[in-house]
């Protein structure tokens, strides 16, 4: 595979888990969630990794460094959504010429084989931006993928809170995994606005 960098979004708290411990540090089969994500990054052969952290950031990075020793941490400060997290991370990768793989830090079951196929498809299609989608049994709470019909081209992603009534039945959801050409991302991420119900870029 062609070289790419990993941008891991790991600034979330554990609001839905109702825990004082960061969700990223909770263990799955004895291994912290964030370490499992780091292990996947390492198995993909990605050595350049940026972790955007905030809550319990030192412990999060310690776990990540167990698998990817050269990873760099960026402190997001007060988390202001995914767009803001990517802006923070891309400040480190602004001169990176390859593709940037954006991963959530709380996806311990996402394996390297799935990501290898994802990356291979991105390269085969010579895509500018690729994203992974899913169709959960209950899509409530997830951002929806809005496609053009009949071409099937992705037009936009609309978060649940901003979803108009006539689109509530859309079942295809955003998986939060992206692969984007670095130079294009570094330029475009600076143009984000906060025109949404959460007021987040």
């Amino acid at each position: 595979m062609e070289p790419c960098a990993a941008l891991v979004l790991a600034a979330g708290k554990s609001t839905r888990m109702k825990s004082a411990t960061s969700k990223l540090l909770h263990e799955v089969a004895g291994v912290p969630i964030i370490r499992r994500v780091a292990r996947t990054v390492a198995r993909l052969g990605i050595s350049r990794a940026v972790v955007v952290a905030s809550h319990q950031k030192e412990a999060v990075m310690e776990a990540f460094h167990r698998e990817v020793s050269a990873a760099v941490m960026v402190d997001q400060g007060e988390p202001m959504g995914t767009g803001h997290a990517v802006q923070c991370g891309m400040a480190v990768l602004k001169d990176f010429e390859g593709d940037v793989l954006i991963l959530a830090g709380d996806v311990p079951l996402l394996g390297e084989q799935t990501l290898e196929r994802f990356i291979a498809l991105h390269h085969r299609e010579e895509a500018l931006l690729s994203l992974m989608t899913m169709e959960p049994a209950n899509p409530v709470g997830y951002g929806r993928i809005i496609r053009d019909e009949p071409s099937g081209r992705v037009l936009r992603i609309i978060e649940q809170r901003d979803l108009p009534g006539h689109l509530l039945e859309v079942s295809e959801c955003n998986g939060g995994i992206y692969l984007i050409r670095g130079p294009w991302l570094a330029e475009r991420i600076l143009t984000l606005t906060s025109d949404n119900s959460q007021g987040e870029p």
Side-chain angles (χ1 to χ4, degrees):
M1 295 186 297
E2 296 179 29
C4 68
L7 178 53
V8 181
L9 309 183
K13 296 183 180 180
S14 301
T15 306
R16 283 173 289 189
M17 295 179 72
K18 303 187 185 307
S19 172
T21 301
S22 166
K23 61 183 176 180
L24 305 163
L25 298 173
H26 281 270
E27 295 184 352
V28 174
V31 179
I33 288 173
I34 189 65
R35 186 175 175 187
R36 288 192 175 275
V37 173
R39 188 174 291 172
T40 299
V41 169
R43 288 174 176 169
L44 287 170
I46 298 174
S47 59
R48 184 158 189 186
V50 176
V51 179
V52 180
S54 178
H55 182 54
Q56 299 178 351
K57 56 185 180 292
E58 292 85 2
V60 167
M61 277 310 295
E62 181 181 357
F64 200 91
H65 276 146
R66 296 281 295 273
E67 306 293 338
V68 186
S69 60
V72 174
M73 183 185 76
V74 174
D75 186 353
Q76 188 181 359
E78 183 62 31
M80 295 171 55
T82 301
H84 179 249
V86 174
Q87 286 178 333
C88 292
M90 286 306 296
V92 176
L93 294 171
K94 62 177 184 269
D95 297 321
F96 183 69
E97 294 294 326
D99 291 320
V100 177
L101 177 64
I102 301 175
L103 295 170
D106 59 354
V107 287
L109 300 182
L110 181 65
E112 63 267 22
Q113 292 181 340
T114 299
L115 288 171
E116 284 171 351
R117 292 196 298 270
F118 179 59
I119 294 169
L121 178 62
H122 175 84
H123 290 157
R124 186 164 64 247
E125 296 295 325
E126 298 182 347
L128 182 65
L129 183 157
S130 299
L131 70 156
M132 200 176 291
T133 71
M134 60 182 181
E135 292 194 45
N138 182 1
V140 173
Y142 292 105
R144 305 301 208 286
I145 303 296
I146 308 303
R147 294 182 180 269
D148 174 53
E149 294 184 9
S151 72
R153 180 173 177 267
V154 175
L155 296 177
R156 61 191 184 276
I157 301 169
I158 303 180
E159 294 301 319
Q160 174 79 32
R161 294 183 185 182
D162 300 310
L163 200 65
H166 71 284
L167 294 176
L168 286 172
E169 298 303 314
V170 173
S171 60
E172 187 179 16
C173 300
N174 179 22
I177 312 297
Y178 312 88
L179 187 59
I180 311 174
R181 291 185 193 170
W184 185 89
L185 175 60
E187 179 181 346
R188 297 305 193 282
I189 198 65
L190 298 176
T191 67
L192 288 185
T193 67
S194 55
D195 184 20
N196 55 67
S197 63
Q198 299 178 78
E200 296 176 344

